[in-house]
Amino acid sequence: MEAAVVDPSCDLNKQEEALLKRVDELIAVHQGDLRAVIETLLMAYDDRVDQVSNGFVRGRKRG
C-alpha cells in the first residue's frame, strides 16, 4: 500500500476525501472484516516503528 501525498495547502475537504477513500479501499480489500483492517494497520505501524527505532534514529541505516 502506497501512502498518498497530500499538499498541506490544499482544501481540507480534499484531504478528508482522500483519507476516506483509502479507508474504504482497506475495508474492501478485507471484504468488510474490520478486525483484519485493524490488524493490517497495526502490523504496518509496528513495521514502521521498527524501521525508525532500529535504523535511522540510531544511525544504523542511511536515508
Side-chain angles (χ1 to χ4, degrees), residues 4-63:
V5 177
V6 179
D7 181 357
S9 66
C10 78
D11 184 6
L12 290 178
N13 290 329
K14 289 181 183 178
Q15 290 182 19
E16 182 180 9
E17 288 173 16
L19 179 61
L20 291 175
K21 180 179 177 187
R22 291 177 67 196
V23 170
D24 289 341
E25 288 172 355
L26 272 173
I27 293 170
V29 165
H30 292 287
Q31 300 172 348
D33 184 352
L34 297 181
R35 182 182 183 99
V37 172
I38 293 168
E39 289 173 352
T40 299
L41 293 172
L42 289 172
M43 287 188 296
Y45 174 79
D46 289 346
D47 183 56
R48 182 66 180 141
V49 168
D50 286 345
Q51 287 177 9
V52 171
S53 65
N54 291 324
F56 298 105
V57 173
R58 295 188 185 156
R60 294 185 195 151
K61 295 181 183 176
R62 300 199 184 258

